[in-house]
Amino acid sequence: MTSSVNGRAHGSSGVLPKRFHAKVDVRWSDMDVFQHVNHARMVTLLEEARIPWLFEDGRPTAPLREGCVLADLRVRYRGQLRHEDTPLDIAMWIEQLRAVDFTIGYEVRAAGAAPDSPPAVIASTQIAAFDIQTQRLRRLTEPERDYLAGWMSE
C-alpha cells in the first residue's frame, strides 16, 4: 500500500481541501461470486486505507490505535470494483470533528481513474476516542484535534 496527500483543481477557487490518498491492493479473496469487491471486504479495505493516515508512528493521532471505537459506518455503492481495478485509490478527509469523535469521508476509485471522475464507492466512518482501561469515551487531545482539523472538508 502507498499513500500521498494532494488537493485537486475544482471550481472557481482552484483547489479542493487536502485529501489523504491510500493505494490499496484488491486481493483475489476480496471478490464475491458476482466478481466484484464484496461489501465486508470493502469495509476492510477502508480500514486498511485509514491505518497509515491515522495510526502510524509519528502521527499525532497514533495514540488512537490504543483505544478507539467505530461508532457508525455508511457505505454507498455507485459502481462496481473488481480485482483488475487494483490498486484502489481511497481518498480520505475529515467531515466532522467533535470533542470525542470524528467522521471520515471516503471516495474510492479504480486504479487509473481520473481524480475528478465519479467515485465507485462513497463512505463515512465515525470514530470515537476510547479509554480501554476505564471503558469510557475520552476527549480527543489537542494534538489529535489539530491534526484532524487540518484535514477538514470545506
Side-chain angles (χ1 to χ4, degrees):
M1 176 181 8
T2 61
S3 59
S4 66
V5 176
N6 77 358
R8 299 187 308 262
H10 176 52
S12 59
S13 67
V15 177
L16 275 178
K18 183 168 61 167
R19 302 285 194 248
F20 186 91
H21 288 262
K23 302 287 186 194
V24 181
D25 289 327
V26 175
R27 297 167 295 256
W28 188 255
S29 61
D30 291 336
M31 293 185 311
D32 61 21
V33 71
F34 303 110
Q35 302 298 310
H36 57 247
V37 176
N38 174 276
H39 170 71
R41 298 302 183 114
M42 178 54 66
V43 171
T44 299
L45 294 169
L46 295 174
E47 178 182 36
E48 289 175 10
R50 71 178 172 258
I51 288 170
W53 180 36
L54 299 176
F55 302 135
E56 280 187 353
D57 289 340
R59 302 260 193 241
T61 48
L64 288 169
R65 67 185 177 204
E66 303 300 323
C68 66
V69 293
L70 186 70
D72 188 56
L73 166 70
R74 296 170 195 260
V75 183
R76 293 174 300 250
Y77 297 92
R78 303 291 193 230
Q80 293 187 55
L81 291 168
R82 299 174 180 269
H83 188 264
E84 60 266 20
D85 294 325
T86 199
L88 300 179
D89 176 26
I90 303 179
M92 296 166 285
W93 66 94
I94 299 299
E95 291 182 338
Q96 183 178 38
L97 179 59
R98 301 187 312 175
V100 300
D101 64 38
F102 55 97
T103 302
I104 301 171
Y106 303 82
E107 290 181 346
V108 183
R109 291 178 176 81
D116 59 349
S117 66
V121 175
I122 299 168
S124 66
T125 54
Q126 179 187 16
I127 298 176
F130 193 75
D131 184 318
I132 297 293
Q133 291 182 336
T134 64
Q135 291 293 296
R136 304 189 101 162
L137 295 176
R138 70 163 177 85
R139 292 179 92 63
L140 292 164
T141 65
E142 188 172 336
E144 289 167 342
R145 286 185 57 77
D146 289 346
Y147 179 73
L148 294 168
W151 296 95
M152 288 288 294
S153 58
E154 309 255 330

